Amino acid sequence: MNVPLDRELIFSLQSGDVDALGALYDRHSALVYRTAYAITGDPDAASDLLQDVFVRLSRFAHRVDPRRPLEPWLYRMTANLAYTWLKRRKRWLHPLDDAMEWLLDSARERSLQQQAEKNAEAEQLHQAILKLPVQQRVVVVMYYINDLSLQEIAEILEIPIGTVKSRLHYGRQSLRKVLNLDADIQGEVICEFT
Amino acid sequence: MNSHNSDEQAFADRELASLLKAWIAEAPKPPAEVRQRVVRYADALHWLPRAESWRAWVFAFRLLSPEYHRLSNPYDWITFQASRCRLVL
């Protein structure tokens, strides 16, 4: 049985075939979810963004060019929606987060003590990623997790390649520092990408 | 010295990449119902009436719906409610 290409599925979706959307979801949902989760650090938000991205793919299918690969469109939409989610969350939920943090502090302390140390590294990495400024985080996620090239990232985010390099450089530097990966590296040239 | 540093950096870079990949591989998976919701929304978009009348019963569901608070786009929520209404009707 022939597996339809993305191009064929997009044509079908444009003519109103909902099954084509299901097939595209099966094919690409993992990359959208992975990207959304890595940027937001929140599984519920990542599920909502996953849903939003594919609902938008259906709504705006007529604007998608079937002759071009679909992944860059999905990455761009995921990054844009994740930016919006983070901005909205910052605006509305930070005061609530602070209060919850204060209330949950003692409970969390107990729970952390009980947690096995096997998760310590993953948690440290998770926290390190979430501490990156969002623009650096998006580039780091696309480069290291999604294996996109600098050129591809620049095209997806519609920014100059030099900006991608510099965001990646600073993001990478912060992560290495937190994770103690560059203890032996000396004299790294900060302006190498300018 | 420069070449030594660049080797070290490349090594650290690879290590960082493998740590990040291992971390994301352990990440939670999306719930299966997301696919179902996406397909249902898309279906709703094709039949959703454009007349004013549907708004009344859509808004009637608004306060009752827990999903409303979990969706970032009210339009998507409305189409979801509309598809739910169609199922009920």
Side-chain angles (χ1 to χ4, degrees):
Chain A
M1 198 178 95
N2 278 344
V3 179
L5 301 169
D6 278 1
R7 189 180 53 223
E8 293 160 349
L9 291 171
I10 293 167
F11 274 128
S12 304
L13 183 60
Q14 287 172 338
S15 55
D17 178 3
V18 176
D19 291 338
L21 182 68
L24 287 168
Y25 180 95
D26 293 339
R27 193 171 292 174
H28 298 291
S29 60
L31 84 83
V32 171
Y33 182 80
R34 191 173 62 207
T35 308
Y37 177 74
I39 295 172
T40 61
D42 180 332
D44 288 337
S47 295
D48 286 353
L49 293 176
L50 170 63
Q51 181 177 313
D52 266 4
V53 167
F54 280 92
V55 167
R56 277 158 202 261
L57 177 61
S58 165
R59 275 170 61 191
F60 303 119
H62 58 283
R63 293 191 203 163
V64 178
D65 183 350
R67 292 163 303 179
R68 304 181 71 178
L70 182 62
E71 281 94 346
W73 189 95
L74 293 171
Y75 280 126
R76 186 178 307 123
M77 190 55 79
T78 308
N80 287 342
L81 290 173
Y83 275 133
T84 309
W85 184 86
L86 288 166
K87 235 187 279 172
R88 211 174 279 173
R89 183 175 183 277
K90 197 172 174 188
R91 194 185 309 149
W92 296 106
L93 294 183
H94 257 201
L96 190 62
D97 279 353
D98 291 346
M100 285 302 285
E101 194 136 325
W102 180 77
L103 284 168
L104 293 174
D105 245 5
S106 56
R108 186 183 295 157
E109 211 166 298
R110 279 198 305 276
S111 140
L112 281 176
Q113 281 168 0
Q114 289 162 358
Q115 260 179 6
E117 285 202 354
K118 65 172 187 171
N119 287 333
E121 198 176 59
E123 184 56 28
Q124 189 190 14
L125 189 59
H126 190 171
Q127 291 308 321
I129 293 169
L130 293 182
K131 275 187 188 148
L132 292 177
V134 65
Q135 291 178 330
Q136 288 175 21
R137 201 186 311 165
V138 169
V139 171
V140 164
V141 166
M142 288 186 172
Y143 186 78
Y144 286 111
I145 292 180
N146 294 326
D147 287 326
L148 295 174
S149 70
L150 297 173
Q151 183 64 42
E152 286 169 324
I153 297 172
E155 283 167 16
I156 287 168
L157 299 178
E158 295 172 332
I159 53 177
I161 196 163
T163 309
V164 175
K165 286 178 180 174
S166 114
R167 286 180 190 175
L168 184 63
H169 171 77
Y170 287 108
R172 172 199 280 149
Q173 207 176 36
S174 306
L175 284 177
R176 280 178 182 168
K177 201 169 176 183
V178 173
L179 302 170
N180 288 324
L181 290 177
D182 60 351
D184 298 330
I185 301 172
Q186 295 168 1
E188 194 176 350
V189 182
I190 288 179
C191 57
E192 64 182 314
F193 293 126
T194 56
Chain B
M1 180 73 181
N2 274 345
S3 136
H4 171 72
N5 273 354
S6 126
D7 287 348
E8 293 279 5
Q9 281 178 32
F11 176 75
D13 212 30
R14 280 198 300 275
E15 196 164 350
L16 181 57
S18 78
L19 278 174
L20 284 166
K21 288 213 170 87
W23 169 70
I24 206 68
E26 294 297 316
K29 301 288 176 265
E33 63 264 23
V34 175
R35 186 190 193 280
Q36 191 190 350
R37 285 206 300 262
V38 164
V39 173
R40 197 159 43 163
Y41 282 6
D43 181 42
L45 283 170
H46 288 290
W47 61 264
L48 187 68
R50 302 287 181 224
E52 282 293 309
S53 58
W54 62 269
R55 296 189 182 191
W57 45 261
V58 166
F59 281 104
F61 277 88
R62 186 170 176 155
L63 293 175
L64 301 173
S65 171
E67 290 90 347
Y68 177 69
H69 303 284
R70 292 187 20 83
L71 287 171
S72 57
N73 187 333
Y75 182 81
D76 295 339
W77 172 82
I78 286 171
T79 59
F80 174 61
Q81 294 307 324
S83 80
R84 178 184 276 185
C85 285
R86 187 178 74 152
L87 293 176
V88 171
L89 292 172

